[in-house]
Amino acid sequence: MATPFELQSAHACHGGAQRFYQHASRETGLPMKFSVFLPPKAVAGEKVPALLYLAGLTCTEETFPIKAGAQQLAAELGLALIAPDTSPRGAGVAGESDAWDFGVGAGFYLDATQAPWAAHWRMESYLLKELLPLLEAHLPIDGRRLGLFGHSMGGHGALTLALRHPGRFQSVSAFAPIANPMNCPWGEKAFTGYLGADRTAWGEHDATVLMQNQPIAPYPGGILVDQGLADKFLIEKQLLPEAFEAACAAIGQPLTLRRHAGYDHGYYFIQSFIGDHLRHHAQQLG
């Protein structure tokens, strides 16, 4: 059966298949790329649970599958791994390259409301309304068993999308997330550009504020967050995991926030603990 996305490359990997795709997105109005690892069960045609991984700034759909070292355990656990590109690309918008200093231009996994970003910077709608339905329809992925995780800007995306779309994801975790963007320089810059000056709108995309406003604990099975204590962005008060920790405690949301001496913000940190995250999701997805 023909699919609405084009296979760019495919590689045998731990008995499964690592694939890279591109398609024309109706939500962003631009070509979008993503990667999918299918474990052996999925290659054989069985529908499997899947994890959506959201990467951080400067990353692409290739970063996680190349650097995280997740495929071997994912194959053993029978988990598919989906990694979209982090941002729209090639819109020709002035300032688009400012993404590299955490300005506007980076995806931030939200739908922008301000010009000139609103036309293409629609990452939330792209993921929830377009990419996931496409993959569930055309690949052996069980849409009822989805987990969500991410790193840095993608950790922000994982926490906020999990809270903004109750019931869509059955499990959530994050590596070094930007946990309270309203109150850090990165978030203030990006939110001002994408959402305007109204801080009320900002709160709708801040994991700490969203958790504070939950009527009951949304993930009773627990949320897992890992944070390196040698992470310069933690030291510079860009991440603020303590704010999210306090918000979870206030409403009784089970949270395992692990702080690791000596670990920084990069993919050696992610490699070190990726197994724990895959097992966390596998346990909750069944």
Side-chain angles (χ1 to χ4, degrees):
M1 180 174 64
T3 63
F5 36 84
E6 178 185 351
L7 181 66
Q8 302 284 290
S9 66
H11 314 272
C13 185
H14 295 290
Q18 179 64 59
R19 300 176 181 173
F20 296 88
Y21 294 96
Q22 178 172 297
H23 72 124
S25 168
R26 69 170 187 271
E27 290 291 343
T28 69
L30 295 166
M32 295 295 293
K33 295 181 178 181
F34 61 92
S35 64
V36 178
F37 171 72
L38 295 175
K41 288 182 179 180
V43 172
E46 181 180 338
K47 281 187 174 286
V48 297
L51 305 183
L52 175 63
Y53 176 84
L54 306 181
L57 192 75
T58 77
C59 296
T60 71
E61 75 288 348
E62 294 184 310
T63 308
F64 178 76
I66 290 174
K67 292 186 175 183
Q71 290 95 332
Q72 182 173 1
L73 182 56
E76 295 172 10
L77 295 173
L79 295 171
L81 303 173
I82 304 162
D85 199 355
T86 60
S87 311
R89 300 183 190 274
V93 174
E96 184 176 343
S97 62
D98 290 347
W100 309 118
D101 67 356
F102 268 97
V104 286
F108 259 82
Y109 302 104
L110 51 74
D111 289 355
T113 60
Q114 304 297 302
W117 311 103
H120 301 291
W121 270 253
R122 297 179 48 79
M123 288 300 294
E124 181 173 7
S125 289
Y126 169 67
L127 294 172
L128 275 295
K129 297 179 181 179
E130 185 172 12
L131 181 61
L132 286 176
L134 280 176
L135 297 187
E136 292 163 21
H138 295 280
L139 292 179
I141 287 171
D142 184 351
R144 299 166 299 176
R145 293 188 292 164
L146 292 177
L148 181 60
F149 68 146
H151 170 232
S152 190
M153 179 182 73
H156 143 78
L159 296 176
T160 57
L161 295 181
L163 293 171
R164 284 173 56 80
H165 299 274
R168 188 68 175 95
F169 301 97
Q170 286 66 58
S171 57
V172 61
S173 70
F175 294 93
I178 306 172
N180 188 199
M182 288 183 68
N183 293 312
C184 75
W186 283 343
E188 291 174 356
K189 184 173 183 179
F191 284 178
T192 299
Y194 287 142
L195 303 174
D198 181 5
R199 293 181 67 90
T200 302
W202 298 8
E204 297 175 5
H205 299 278
D206 184 300
T208 295
V209 175
L210 288 167
M211 185 62 76
Q212 289 169 343
N213 292 333
Q214 297 296 309
I216 59 173
Y219 288 90
I223 295 172
L224 173 62
V225 174
D226 278 309
Q227 176 61 62
L229 292 179
D231 185 331
K232 68 176 183 177
F233 303 124
L234 175 73
I235 297 165
E236 293 171 359
K237 302 295 184 182
Q238 296 282 16
L239 305 179
L240 305 176
E242 65 276 9
F244 185 71
E245 183 178 38
C248 288
I251 70 156
Q253 167 61 52
L255 171 70
T256 301
L257 173 54
R258 307 190 302 185
R259 296 171 169 90
H260 304 280
Y263 285 89
D264 60 21
H265 197 71
Y267 268 80
Y268 295 115
F269 161 59
I270 293 175
Q271 284 181 25
S272 300
F273 302 105
I274 188 66
D276 293 341
H277 284 250
L278 296 187
R279 293 185 184 95
H280 164 83
H281 290 277
Q283 182 178 27
Q284 297 192 37
L285 296 177

